[in-house]
């Protein structure tokens, strides 16, 4: 017990110390876990030199990772992404596998080994890429959605790849055709039984456990299903990871899925971190020191090949040039499942262990170099965009009474209301994708930076009756307001602000006509809440009006003392008490008390 707890403590201590340092250096948490594993493993401080411990940690990490992936694969999400998955996913895997398999065969590997190497190295790291997408907030972009679709198909493709590895090789004699087909039929039957019978058994069990209102039992039952399925598929010669994946898919169909996600979510990052630490521990640093040029050369072959395939594929999928560079750089590394598939291939005598060790090192090095590749791609994108910057649209003959700067969710509502009441608008926005979308819906929108003086003059700001500033960027909003105040002092403005601090900046500039974008929605929600709690409609509406008037007055008063922290806190407390007295006085003057009105 002490040995086990000591090992766990070493893993946690290494993660807590090294991962924050790696994130501070902008290397990312995944690389941090890899470095932590390297530090405590046989080639580092050798605190945990036992190879069996490394194997167990790695296997358990992969099992849990596949379970979590399966848990997120709801049929509705798969159907929504079906075209991207089947188009981008299949094309990338097949094209990359063919290129890499050809290289492997040219380097002297046998046909079966070359096929496995091509398929495995065509996979990318789901955990690594998703982390990069989240850090850069690219998840909802075209690049992010395409990358996710490719990764999703790769994760699904791991399952049949793991299933066929035992068929490709045998430690005894080659399997007869009848035996091969029997194994395939057995695997298909087992997977079908899990998907068909599993939910019918799991739902009653979860219903019973949920009735006990024990969160511990709920988590225990979930782990029992995962581990039980992993052992079941292992008993028929398939990978335990396949069983874990099936368990995740099974639970994804359960009505208790969201509760299960809440229970497991706190452990998700740590469990994936343990897997990457095990990967770092298993890396053969001695091999890297013995043949550094070989490993770097093979890594370059893998990354350049995948980059080229992805770049061409992204163009055929209709992605813009900058999106092609980013997608190719994001997915050009090897994937974490390569460690598992290569291990299974060595165990089945599909390839030699020495080759597996070499390719494992290549995958790890490719992960380490991915941030470098992405940084280089970003530099190229910025350089190309700098050379090919789009010129602003020509605003020719526009003499409309209203100019709207920024036509996102805020500006669109203002524009629709004005247009519906007969006021024509000149709309300026700087997002090319948004402009193309709006033009398809019949809106007249000009591309350009509204903070440029020449563009404002072209939009007839000198004769316009109103400027509506609906920009997302607070700094751009300030620049536009300052520019308009200096060159068009007679032009009235209504400005979108996002917080009280930005409202103070408007007041500093003498702009008193502004709208806090979340204030009205929040106030309306509060009025509805009062109605649900027993206030009649008129009483709740009056309370909302009182609150709005008081808040507007308070905003002006706090603006004068916002730089004096002591006075600001004192006035905030006084304003809160004053608001409560106002509400109590209003309640006392009501003809019908709220509690009585609710009856």
């Amino acid at each position: 017990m002490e040995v086990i707890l000591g090992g766990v403590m070493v893993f946690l201590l290494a993660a807590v110390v090294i991962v924050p340092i790696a994130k501070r250096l902008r290397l990312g948490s995944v690389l941090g876990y890899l470095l932590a594993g390297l530090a405590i493993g046989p080639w580092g401080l050798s605190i945990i030199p036992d190879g069996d411990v490394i194997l167990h940690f790695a296997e358990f990490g992969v099992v849990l990772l596949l379970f979590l992936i399966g848990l997120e694969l709801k049929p509705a999400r798969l159907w929504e992404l079906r075209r991207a998955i089947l188009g981008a996913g299949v094309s990338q895997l097949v094209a990359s596998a063919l290129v890499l398999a050809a290289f492997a065969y040219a380097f002297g590997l046998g046909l079966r080994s070359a096929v496995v190497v091509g398929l495995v190295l065509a996979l990318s790291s789901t955990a690594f890429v998703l982390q990069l997408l989240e850090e850069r907030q690219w998840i909802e972009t075209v690049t992010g959605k395409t990358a996710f679709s490719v990764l999703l198909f790769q994760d699904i493709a791991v399952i049949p790849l793991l299933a066929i590895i035992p068929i490709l090789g045998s430690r005894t004699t080659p399997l007869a055709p009848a035996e091969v087909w029997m194994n395939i039929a057995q695997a298909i039957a087992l997977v079908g039984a899990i998907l068909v019978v599993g939910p019918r058994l799991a739902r009653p069990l979860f219903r019973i456990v949920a009735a006990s209102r024990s969160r511990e039992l709920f988590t225990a039952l979930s782990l029992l299903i995962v581990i039980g399925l992993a052992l079941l598929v292992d008993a028929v010669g398939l990978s335990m990871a396949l069983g874990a994946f099936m368990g995740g898919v099974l639970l994804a169909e359960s009505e208790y899925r969201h509760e299960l996600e809440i229970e497991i979510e706190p452990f998700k990052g740590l469990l994936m971190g343990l897997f990457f630490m095990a990967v770092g521990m298993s890396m053969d640093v001695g091999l890297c020191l013995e043949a550094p040029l070989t490993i770097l050369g093979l890594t370059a072959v893998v990354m350049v090949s995948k980059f080229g395939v992805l770049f061409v594929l992204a163009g055929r999928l209709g992605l813009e040039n900058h999106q092609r560079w980013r997608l190719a750089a994001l997915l050009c590394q090897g994937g974490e499942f390569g460690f598992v598939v290569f291990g299974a291939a060595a165990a089945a005598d599909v390839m030699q262990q020495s080759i597996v060790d070499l390719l494992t090192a290549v995958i790890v090095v490719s992960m380490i170099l991915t941030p470098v590749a992405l940084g280089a791609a970003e530099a190229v994108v910025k350089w190309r965009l700098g050379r090919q910057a789009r010129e602003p649209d020509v605003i020719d003959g526009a003499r409309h009474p209203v100019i709207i700067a920024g036509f996102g969710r805020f500006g669109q509502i203002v524009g629709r209301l004005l247009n519906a009441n007969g006021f024509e608008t000149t709309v300026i926005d700087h997002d090319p994708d948004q402009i193309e979308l709006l033009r398809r819906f019949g809106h007249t929108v000009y591309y350009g930076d509204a903070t440029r003086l020449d563009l404002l003059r072209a939009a007839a700001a000198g004769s316009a009756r109103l400027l509506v500033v609906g920009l997302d960027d607070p700094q751009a909003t300030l620049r536009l307001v300052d520019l308009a105040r200096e060159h068009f002092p007679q032009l009235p403005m209504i400005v979108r602000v996002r917080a009280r601090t930005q409202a103070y900046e408007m007041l500093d500039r003498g702009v008193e006509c502004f709208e806090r974008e979340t204030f009205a929605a929040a106030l309306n929600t509060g009025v509805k809440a009062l109605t649900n709690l027993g206030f009649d409609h008129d009483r709740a509406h009056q309370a909302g009006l009182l609150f709005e008037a008081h808040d507007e007055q308070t905003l002006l008063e706090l603006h004068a003392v916002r730089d004096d922290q002591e006075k600001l806190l004192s006035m905030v407390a006084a304003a809160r008490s004053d608001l409560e007295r106002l509400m109590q006085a209003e309640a006392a003057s009501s003809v019908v008390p709220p509690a009585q009105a609710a009856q």
Side-chain angles (χ1 to χ4, degrees):
M1 176 62 71
E2 293 180 358
V3 175
I4 295 175
L5 290 178
V8 172
M9 187 189 73
V10 169
F11 269 91
L12 295 176
L13 181 62
V16 169
V17 172
I18 297 178
V19 174
I21 296 175
K23 295 190 72 173
R24 184 175 292 272
L25 296 174
R26 296 186 177 181
L27 299 176
S29 59
V30 174
L31 278 181
Y33 284 118
L34 289 171
L35 294 173
L38 187 62
I40 65 177
W43 297 99
L45 300 175
S46 195
I47 299 176
I48 303 181
D50 190 347
D52 290 337
V53 174
I54 300 173
L55 179 62
H56 291 321
F57 267 98
E59 187 174 5
F60 188 58
V62 173
V63 167
L64 288 170
L65 182 58
L66 265 171
F67 165 68
L68 291 171
I69 291 173
L71 191 65
E72 295 171 358
L73 286 182
K74 295 183 292 185
R77 185 67 187 277
L78 289 174
W79 183 254
E80 177 186 345
L81 297 173
R82 64 191 184 281
R83 293 181 180 175
I85 293 171
L86 295 178
V90 173
S91 301
Q92 181 276 330
L93 186 64
V94 172
S96 298
L98 286 174
V99 172
L100 294 169
F103 273 111
Y105 189 74
F107 278 110
L109 290 183
L111 182 59
R112 290 185 302 171
S113 298
V115 169
V116 172
V117 168
L119 288 170
V120 173
L121 293 181
L123 303 175
S124 303
S125 174
T126 300
F128 201 92
V129 174
L130 289 181
Q131 181 207 17
L132 293 175
L133 291 174
E134 289 178 1
E135 288 177 353
R136 287 162 174 77
Q137 298 182 342
W138 288 352
I139 291 290
E140 295 302 323
T141 65
V142 174
T143 303
K145 291 180 179 179
T146 306
F148 179 79
S149 300
V150 172
L151 293 169
L152 192 58
F153 180 81
Q154 290 180 359
D155 292 334
I156 297 172
V158 170
I159 306 307
L161 183 56
L162 287 169
I164 66 172
I165 288 295
I167 300 173
L168 292 176
S170 174
R171 286 195 173 278
T172 55
T173 58
L175 296 176
E179 293 178 287
V180 172
W181 286 109
M182 181 63 69
N183 287 342
I184 294 175
Q186 189 178 35
I188 294 174
L190 179 61
V191 170
I194 291 174
L195 293 178
V196 174
V197 180
R200 290 173 172 78
L201 295 177
R203 285 193 176 94
L205 288 174
F206 273 113
R207 201 171 293 118
I208 294 172
V209 171
S212 70
R213 300 183 182 278
S214 172
R215 296 179 63 179
E216 295 80 4
L217 284 179
F218 189 89
T219 305
L221 176 59
S222 304
L223 293 175
L224 175 64
I225 291 176
V226 173
I227 297 173
L229 289 174
L231 294 175
L232 178 63
V233 298
D234 181 66
V236 296
L238 297 179
S239 168
M240 294 179 67
L242 173 61
F245 178 82
M246 289 295 101
V249 173
L250 185 152
L251 294 176
E253 291 295 314
S254 169
E255 60 268 33
Y256 302 101
R257 171 179 173 271
H258 295 293
E259 187 173 352
L260 179 62
E261 286 181 333
I262 293 173
E263 295 291 333
I264 292 182
E265 185 62 32
F267 305 100
K268 179 179 179 179
L270 181 60
L271 295 174
M272 293 176 66
L274 290 176
F275 166 72
F276 283 109
M277 288 180 71
V279 170
M281 293 173 64
S282 64
M283 182 176 174
D284 193 341
V285 179
L287 181 61
C288 294
L289 295 176
E290 289 176 7
L293 295 179
T294 301
I295 291 177
L296 288 176
L298 291 175
T299 303
V301 168
V302 171
M303 297 185 72
V304 171
S305 298
K306 294 181 70 174
F307 188 98
V309 169
L310 286 160
F311 191 84
V312 173
L313 174 63
R316 293 189 175 276
L317 293 174
L319 272 67
E320 299 291 336
N321 195 272
H322 67 282
Q323 296 166 342
R324 297 168 66 184
W325 282 93
R326 288 171 178 167
L327 180 69
L330 278 169
L331 299 175
C332 67
Q333 80 288 130
E336 57 267 10
F337 293 119
F339 308 120
V340 182
V341 180
F342 279 145
D349 274 349
V350 176
M351 62 179 62
Q352 298 176 356
Q353 185 62 46
S354 59
I355 297 176
V356 168
D357 293 338
L358 185 66
L359 294 177
T360 299
V362 167
I363 292 176
V364 175
V365 173
S366 71
M367 290 181 179
I368 295 173
L369 293 179
T370 297
V372 178
L374 187 57
E378 283 291 279
V380 172
V381 167
K382 290 180 180 179
W383 175 71
R384 291 181 64 89
L385 289 179
R387 291 185 62 193
Q388 302 174 357
R390 175 175 172 177
E391 292 295 324
D393 292 337
V394 176
I395 306 177
D396 189 14
R399 291 293 183 271
H400 298 149
V402 181
I403 301 172
I404 301 179
F407 210 54
R409 54 179 182 167
F410 187 92
Q412 288 178 44
I413 294 174
V414 177
R416 286 165 53 198
L417 179 61
L418 294 175
N419 294 155
N421 285 274
F423 293 97
E424 294 188 77
T425 58
T426 301
V427 180
I428 306 172
D429 199 277
H430 68 280
D431 186 343
D433 295 334
Q434 177 78 347
I435 289 173
E436 294 304 321
L437 176 63
L438 291 169
R439 285 176 176 173
R440 287 201 296 269
F441 283 94
H443 295 282
T444 301
V445 187
Y446 297 98
Y447 171 79
D449 183 359
T451 63
R452 288 178 50 171
L453 180 59
D454 59 338
L455 204 62
L456 289 178
R457 284 174 172 161
S463 59
R465 294 173 56 186
L466 181 66
L467 170 62
V468 178
V469 182
L471 301 177
D472 285 327
D473 185 356
Q475 295 304 316
T477 298
L478 288 179
R479 291 197 302 271
L480 177 55
V481 168
D482 289 341
L483 188 69
R485 296 285 291 179
E486 179 181 357
H487 295 278
F488 310 102
Q490 82 291 347
L491 179 61
M493 286 184 285
I494 301 177
V495 184
R496 165 198 187 184
V497 299
R498 307 188 71 172
R500 295 179 80 93
T501 54
Q502 194 179 2
Y504 294 151
E505 291 171 336
M506 292 299 107
L507 291 172
D508 289 340
R509 288 157 172 78
V511 178
E512 296 186 0
C513 192
F514 53 80
E515 183 69 28
R516 287 173 281 168
E517 65 174 9
T518 58
F519 180 78
L523 183 60
N524 190 39
T525 301
V527 171
K528 291 180 179 178
L530 289 176
T531 304
N532 288 335
L533 291 171
F535 281 61
D536 61 53
H537 180 269
D538 292 338
R539 175 73 182 90
H541 181 68
Q542 182 61 26
L545 293 176
L546 275 175
F547 182 93
E548 183 178 12
H550 181 268
D551 190 79
E552 294 291 344
Q553 181 62 35
T554 302
L555 179 68
L556 297 175
E557 294 173 354
L558 295 181
H559 170 248
V561 299
R562 69 186 188 282
D563 295 326
D564 188 331
Q565 189 70 13
E566 185 175 345
K567 287 185 178 180
L568 182 65
L569 292 175
S570 176
M571 290 189 66
V572 167
R576 186 183 300 114
S577 299
D578 184 49
L579 179 62
E580 291 176 358
R581 286 193 295 271
L582 279 175
M583 293 298 178
Q584 290 170 1
E586 178 65 21
S589 65
S590 298
V591 177
V592 181
Q596 185 177 344
Q599 295 177 355

